[in-house]
């Protein structure tokens, strides 16, 4: 079941960045609904006090009964002092009155904890819209509803209605923005055990006025924030997403995002949870990648990648070099790197010779390198190997696979881990230390690892390799091309026949197969003689898109009689279709050989025109092998799209086939994308299938244009 609820604030409900920054930097907080009988009140109060909130903390209870050992005010207006933010621990039915009280007190920022709004369906959605309208009228901004609030760890500002998600409250350089408060709690706890620390933690809940994009955009400019980590159930506005991603790229700050909802079932669950809509995940995946956002697949990967990219920053061009204390771990790393698309360096002859000279290579000196357990008794084996691998010109990042001790400290006074830290510092290249299994680091061990210069350290081989790959891809990312404005085309947005669609392509520089539009059997015969047998004859009707399904196509016609008969048959088949207007037939040469591709543009309702390239003809549905990008694209981007196809090897020829001119294919696809942009917002889709490629010959054999 899909719940018809907007995934983020409406355009009219947008909150300015200055208001958001003021909200997240509140210096005084009122807890409304404070009571010794409320678990939420207890956790909100104790979290703020134990956290060491330096500002003023006020308690509000309608009856005036003391709470948590403190007196209370009967209303926000009765506090009598300036308050920045109110945390409303009242039910959904009481929220409107609570907002009015907040406004009367001059409080302009609110955290709304209550559930029972957009996540419950149409009635809840309507109640949520009314709440937003009231808040706008009162000039109040609220986070939520159905959220836990926010923490500003660098300024020690606490408006969080749950136990502290970061146990030691040590501030760090990563701003965490999560649609789910419960997920934020778990991320904070896991991160603390990995030595990863947050500057802010924000839970957006139902996102009625403030969504994850708004919160991230408000925080990314903070000079104390080096990275934004996001848990997102829905991306509500492509334009605001683009603005956030562009600003982060401009500042050189990575965004690491776990965007859930890949499956249809997950999308339905998201809708029922927070009332958010989930779009087509393949398009979302491309949108994130093109924007330079690092997408991850697990909460652990979100924390590990954000921590790693913050510590390492952008890395240079090259591949991964691995030195391991375990041969079995080498095999695991190879598989993990292959699965994650992480390129492993091939050591030069000089590197292999150096490894043998230093005694670091036992057997083949290849990558990953196994220094074996001999490094336990001879730490110099590890340090020599790491230095040699780092010096290889093909290596951009060095990975050391080792083992953490079981206790709280490193017990060996002169062990390899103690001598490894200084060796890593002298490399001149980024290095990551991986523990072989997932393992929490006790506080004492974390401090010692940090002091020895062994960070970043990631627990788990698969998690570590995926995180390294994420950082390497982010480092190599380049901003997507931007469209050069071209005048829109004045085309009647009505159904186009294949003949008209092919003519449109040809008029805009896209090569098409020669065709003749004919209106009688005699004209069809004349056209076939002009073009040369064998030919194809197809019915022409704007209302018939899948012509072969109704018997409207005849192939391989080798003589006049066959052409004459085909014309009669295909036009009769078209006239038998209810509502179809037949405008004769199209005659074209019958092409053999080559590779058939499909290239098309569809206007995604959220992300706009999106172009796809894949294997075409009969393989479209059988292989489901395509690559997507948001428009515009350039020829380099299309080349990358073609390389992503599982069937990419087909374009290279083989078994006697000629190799395809990828540059010419790219030029045609770019021209198609440019045409789609010029056709304007009424365009629903434009598709070439097949796009025939035979060496340097690239031509459209069929085309369809549809309008919204």
């Amino acid at each position: 079941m899909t719940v018809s609820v907007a995934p983020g604030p409406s355009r009219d409900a947008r909150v300015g960045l200055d208001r958001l920054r003021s909200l997240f930097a509140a210096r005084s907080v009122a807890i409304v609904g404070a009571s010794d009988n409320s678990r939420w009140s207890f956790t909100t109060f104790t979290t703020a006090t134990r956290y060491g909130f330096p500002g003023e903390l006020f308690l509000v209870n309608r009856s005036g009964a003391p709470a948590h050992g403190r007196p209370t005010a009967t209303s926000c207006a009765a506090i009598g002092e300036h308050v920045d933010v109110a945390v409303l621990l009242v039910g959904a039915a009481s929220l409107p009155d609570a907002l009015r009280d907040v406004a009367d007190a001059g409080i302009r920022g609110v955290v709304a904890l209550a559930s029972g709004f957009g996540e419950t369906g149409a009635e809840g959605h309507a109640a949520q819209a009314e709440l937003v309208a009231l808040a706008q009228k009162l000039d109040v901004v609220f986070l939520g509803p159905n959220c836990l609030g926010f923490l500003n760890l660098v300024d020690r500002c606490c408006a969080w209605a749950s136990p502290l998600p970061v146990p030691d409250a040590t501030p760090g350089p990563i701003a965490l923005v999560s649609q789910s408060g419960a997920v934020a709690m778990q991320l904070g706890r896991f991160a603390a055990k990995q030595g990863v620390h947050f500057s802010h933690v924000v839970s957006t809940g139902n996102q009625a006025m403030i969504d994850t994009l708004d919160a991230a955009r408000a925080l990314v400019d903070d000079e104390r924030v080096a990275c934004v980590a996001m848990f997102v159930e829905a991306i509500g506005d492509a334009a605001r997403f683009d603005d956030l991603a562009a600003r982060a790229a401009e500042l050189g700050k990575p965004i690491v995002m776990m965007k859930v909802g890949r499956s249809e079932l997950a999308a339905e669950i998201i809708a029922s949870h927070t009332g958010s809509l989930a779009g087509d995940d393949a398009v979302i995946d491309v949108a994130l990648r093109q924007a330079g956002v690092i997408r991850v697949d697990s909460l652990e990967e979100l924390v590990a990648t954000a921590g790693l990219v913050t510590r390492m920053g952008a890395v240079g061009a090259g591949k991964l070099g691995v030195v391991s204390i375990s041969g079995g771990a080498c095999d695991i790393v190879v598989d993990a790197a292959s699965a994650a698309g992480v390129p492993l360096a091939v050591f030069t002859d000089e590197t292999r010779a150096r490894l043998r000279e230093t005694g670091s290579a036992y057997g083949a000196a290849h990558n990953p390198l196994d220094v074996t357990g001999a490094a336990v008794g001879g730490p110099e084996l590890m340090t020599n190997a790491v230095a040699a691998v780092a010096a290889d010109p093909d290596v951009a990042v060095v990975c050391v696979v080792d083992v953490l001790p079981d206790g709280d400290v490193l017990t060996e006074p002169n062990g390899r881990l103690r001598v490894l830290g200084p060796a890593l510092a002298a490399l001149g290249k980024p290095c990551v230390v991986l523990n072989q299994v997932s393992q929490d680091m006790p506080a004492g061990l974390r401090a010692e690892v940090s002091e020895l210069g062994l960070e970043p350290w990631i627990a788990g081989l698969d998690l570590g390799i995926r995180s390294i790959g994420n950082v390497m891809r982010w480092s190599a990312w380049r901003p997507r091309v931007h469209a050069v404005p071209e005048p829109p085309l004045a085309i009647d947005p009505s159904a186009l026949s294949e003949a008209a669609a092919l003519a449109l392509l040809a008029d805009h520089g896209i090569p098409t197969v020669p065709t003749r539009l004919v209106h009688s059997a005699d004209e069809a015969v004349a056209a076939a003689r002009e073009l040369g047998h064998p030919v194809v004859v197809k019915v022409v009707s704007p209302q018939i898109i899948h012509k072969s399904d109704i018997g409207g196509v005849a192939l391989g016609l080798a003589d006049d009689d066959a052409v004459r008969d085909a014309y009669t048959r295909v036009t009769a088949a078209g006239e038998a279709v209810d509502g179809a207007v037949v405008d004769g037939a199209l005659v074209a040469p019958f092409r053999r050989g080559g590779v058939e591709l499909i290239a098309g543009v569809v206007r995604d309702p959220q992300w706009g025109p999106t172009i796809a390239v894949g294997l075409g003809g009969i393989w479209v549905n059988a292989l489901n092998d395509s690559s997507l990008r948001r428009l515009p694209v350039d020829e380099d981007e299309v080349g990358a799209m073609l390389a992503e196809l599982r069937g990419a090897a087909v374009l290279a020829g083989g078994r006697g086939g000629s190799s395809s001119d990828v540059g010419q294919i790219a030029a045609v696809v770019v021209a198609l994308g440019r045409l789609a942009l010029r056709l304007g917002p009424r365009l629903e889709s434009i598709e070439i299938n097949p796009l025939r490629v035979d060496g340097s010959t690239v031509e459209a054999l069929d085309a369809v244009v549809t309008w919204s």
Side-chain angles (χ1 to χ4, degrees), residues 288-347:
L288 299 187
R289 183 156 29 108
Q290 283 183 272
V293 172
I294 303 172
R295 187 177 190 182
V296 298
D297 292 321
S298 70
L299 298 179
E300 294 85 353
E301 189 180 355
L302 180 65
V303 169
T305 300
L308 183 61
V309 74
T310 302
R311 287 166 170 152
M312 287 175 50
V315 301
K319 300 176 183 177
L320 180 65
V322 183
V323 179
S324 173
I325 199 170
S326 160
C330 290
D331 298 332
I332 297 171
V333 165
V334 170
D335 288 344
S338 175
V342 180
L344 295 174
V346 177
F347 293 153

Side-chain angles (χ1 to χ4, degrees), residues 173-174 191 194-197 226-227 303-314 430 446 450 455-458:
I174 302 168
Q194 308 304 313
V196 175
H197 301 286
C227 170
V303 169
T305 300
L308 183 61
V309 74
T310 302
R311 287 166 170 152
M312 287 175 50
R446 284 201 307 271
S450 178
E455 290 183 325
W457 187 303
I458 298 178

Side-chain angles (χ1 to χ4, degrees), residues 367-386:
N367 186 27
L369 177 72
D370 176 20
V371 295
T372 77
V376 174
E380 70 283 353
L381 292 176
M382 179 69 81
T383 56
N384 288 340
V386 169

Side-chain angles (χ1 to χ4, degrees), residues 13 55 71 98 119 141 182 190 210 290 331 355 495 511 547 579 587 605 648:
E119 79 281 5
V141 169
F190 176 75
I210 303 167
Q290 283 183 272
D331 298 332
L355 289 169
K547 296 175 288 293
V587 181

Side-chain angles (χ1 to χ4, degrees), residues 138-432:
L138 298 172
D139 193 25
V140 172
V141 169
F142 67 83
L143 188 66
N146 191 25
C147 78
L148 291 181
F150 69 89
L151 293 167
N152 176 342
L153 289 101
V154 287
D155 294 321
R156 306 193 75 77
C157 169
C158 183
W160 184 264
S162 194
L164 195 66
V166 281
D168 61 2
T170 301
I174 302 168
L176 172 62
V177 180
S178 173
Q179 199 165 339
S180 165
V183 166
M185 295 276 293
Q186 296 306 310
L187 286 169
R189 292 168 180 170
F190 176 75
K193 295 177 182 179
Q194 308 304 313
V196 175
H197 301 286
F198 298 126
S199 61
H200 303 76
V201 178
V202 180
S203 158
T204 59
N206 282 18
Q207 312 190 128
M209 295 189 80
I210 303 167
D211 66 6
T212 53
L213 299 178
D214 293 323
R217 182 64 184 85
L219 296 174
V220 74
D221 284 319
D222 193 318
E223 62 183 10
R224 300 164 300 182
V225 172
C227 170
V228 179
M230 304 178 69
F231 175 81
V232 176
E233 297 177 359
I235 299 174
D237 188 315
R240 287 190 293 119
F241 168 82
D242 288 342
D243 176 65
L244 167 64
R247 182 56 177 161
E250 180 184 352
L251 296 171
K253 298 182 180 182
I255 297 174
V256 184
M257 181 184 292
M258 183 177 179
K259 165 65 181 74
V260 293
R262 288 189 182 273
S263 68
E264 183 177 344
L265 175 60
E268 292 178 2
I269 292 172
I270 288 169
S272 64
H273 174 211
T274 60
S276 299
L277 297 179
D280 186 289
D281 190 72
V283 179
I284 292 171
D285 198 58
V286 165
L288 299 187
R289 183 156 29 108
Q290 283 183 272
V293 172
I294 303 172
R295 187 177 190 182
V296 298
D297 292 321
S298 70
L299 298 179
E300 294 85 353
E301 189 180 355
L302 180 65
V303 169
T305 300
L308 183 61
V309 74
T310 302
R311 287 166 170 152
M312 287 175 50
V315 301
K319 300 176 183 177
L320 180 65
V322 183
V323 179
S324 173
I325 199 170
S326 160
C330 290
D331 298 332
I332 297 171
V333 165
V334 170
D335 288 344
S338 175
V342 180
L344 295 174
V346 177
F347 293 153
T348 64
D349 292 340
E350 291 79 4
T351 299
R352 287 195 288 269
R354 181 177 175 185
L355 289 169
R356 294 189 183 96
E357 289 170 3
T358 61
S360 303
Y362 288 80
H366 52 59
N367 186 27
L369 177 72
D370 176 20
V371 295
T372 77
V376 174
E380 70 283 353
L381 292 176
M382 179 69 81
T383 56
N384 288 340
V386 169
V389 169
D392 191 289
D394 198 30
V395 172
V397 179
V398 180
C399 173
V400 176
V401 178
D402 215 298
V403 181
L404 276 173
D406 291 330
D408 291 347
V409 294
L410 300 175
T411 55
E412 304 169 77
N414 296 305
R416 71 187 178 284
L417 294 180
R418 291 192 178 278
V419 301
L420 183 59
L424 299 183
L427 291 182
K429 286 184 180 177
C431 182
V432 185

Side-chain angles (χ1 to χ4, degrees), residues 9 11 21 39-40 48 158 249 301 339 342 431 451 461 469 634 658 684-685 695:
R11 187 173 300 277
R21 290 170 183 141
R39 177 175 64 89
W40 292 110
C158 183
E301 189 180 355
V342 180
C431 182
E451 182 181 346
L461 295 178
D634 59 15
S658 60
E684 181 179 71
S685 68

Side-chain angles (χ1 to χ4, degrees), residues 38-62:
S38 167
R39 177 175 64 89
W40 292 110
S41 176
F42 174 78
T43 55
T44 305
F45 176 78
T46 55
T47 295
T49 52
R50 291 176 183 175
Y51 175 50
F53 175 51
E56 294 288 340
L57 187 64
F58 303 98
L59 305 183
V60 177
N61 181 292
R62 249 185 341 188

